[in-house]
Amino acid sequence: MQNNPTSLYSQTVNMQLQELMDLQLRLQVDVSYVSHHGFLVRNGIGTCKSVLDVGTGNGDFCLRLARDHVDVKFTGIDFKKEMVETAQGLSQEQKIPNVTWLQGDVSNAAFLEGLGKFDGILLRYSAIHMQALGEVIKSLAMKLNAGGHIWVVDVELDEMISQPAHSAFDLYKTVTERFYNKYGLD
């Protein structure tokens, strides 16, 4: 792939939307895995035997966790059928046995009822997409074993930049920082 914008644009136009989403999700994991994995290690993933990954997307992050924590049973959930199918394919290709995949919506009480209990529940770049997040978190907390953890990883303020600089972006970042300063980054 050439590194000029015209070439990148023409190649991107010819890609299917799903291909673009898969590439974007893989890049997101490549860029953030060390940082996010470190956060999970510092905050208890080492004590877990079972982890639910809510909004797992294509499963790439969950698969990396499963490779790094072979004694943990991971369950990845996404409401998009094509994402779950991609995750299933990747785990079969990579022969990673300690992860399973489900299609479903954790804001649906009936779906959530059918799940077991977990030692950890991860919402990585999924909380921002949920309506009634407070209610979802309360429902998910009921699915935790005693001493379990809920981890929410969403907006990365230190990595938020706009090139070229723009006042609308600066305002967005300021409002986001105020929210996190009031309610906490973790």
Side-chain angles (χ1 to χ4, degrees):
M1 193 179 284
Q2 296 176 3
N3 283 334
N4 71 59
T6 305
S7 175
L8 289 173
Y9 174 78
S10 63
Q11 290 177 11
T12 302
V13 167
N14 292 324
M15 296 179 93
Q16 296 294 322
L17 180 59
Q18 189 62 44
E19 289 177 284
L20 286 172
M21 286 176 57
D22 287 343
L23 287 172
Q24 186 273 333
L25 289 171
R26 287 197 179 102
L27 177 61
Q28 182 187 76
V29 172
D30 287 344
V31 168
S32 65
Y33 185 77
V34 170
S35 161
H36 293 177
H37 181 248
F39 167 79
L40 294 171
V41 168
R42 287 188 307 277
N43 290 282
I45 197 169
T47 64
C48 295
K49 293 294 179 195
S50 60
V51 172
L52 176 66
D53 180 20
V54 176
T56 196
N58 66 0
D60 194 31
F61 188 82
C62 189
L63 287 167
R64 289 188 192 192
L65 286 176
R67 278 195 307 266
D68 287 345
H69 301 274
V70 295
D71 294 331
V72 178
K73 174 69 174 148
F74 290 90
T75 302
I77 293 178
D78 204 282
F79 69 91
K80 292 183 181 177
K81 179 182 178 183
E82 55 277 355
M83 288 293 165
V84 173
E85 289 171 349
T86 298
Q88 288 170 331
L90 286 172
S91 63
Q92 288 172 354
E93 286 172 19
Q94 297 175 27
K95 296 178 178 29
I96 299 177
N98 58 324
V99 64
T100 58
W101 310 101
L102 299 172
Q103 181 186 352
D105 182 354
V106 296
S107 65
N108 179 312
F111 174 76
L112 203 54
E113 181 76 22
L115 294 176
K117 293 228 176 196
F118 300 89
D119 298 318
I121 297 175
L122 173 62
L123 290 89
R124 184 177 168 277
Y125 296 133
S126 58
I128 199 168
H129 301 288
M130 293 181 184
Q131 294 186 359
L133 177 61
E135 293 303 314
V136 171
I137 296 288
K138 285 179 190 175
S139 297
L140 288 171
M142 302 301 289
K143 303 309 286 182
L144 282 176
N145 289 321
H149 309 275
I150 294 180
W151 307 287
V152 178
V153 178
D154 237 291
V155 178
E156 304 265 350
L157 296 176
D158 293 339
E159 304 297 327
M160 291 176 73
I161 61 169
S162 173
Q163 293 294 333
H166 194 280
S167 61
F169 177 82
D170 294 339
L171 178 61
Y172 168 76
K173 186 172 180 180
T174 298
V175 169
T176 303
E177 287 172 333
R178 284 183 189 155
F179 175 84
Y180 282 115
N181 287 335
K182 183 175 181 179
Y183 297 104
L185 288 171
D186 294 336

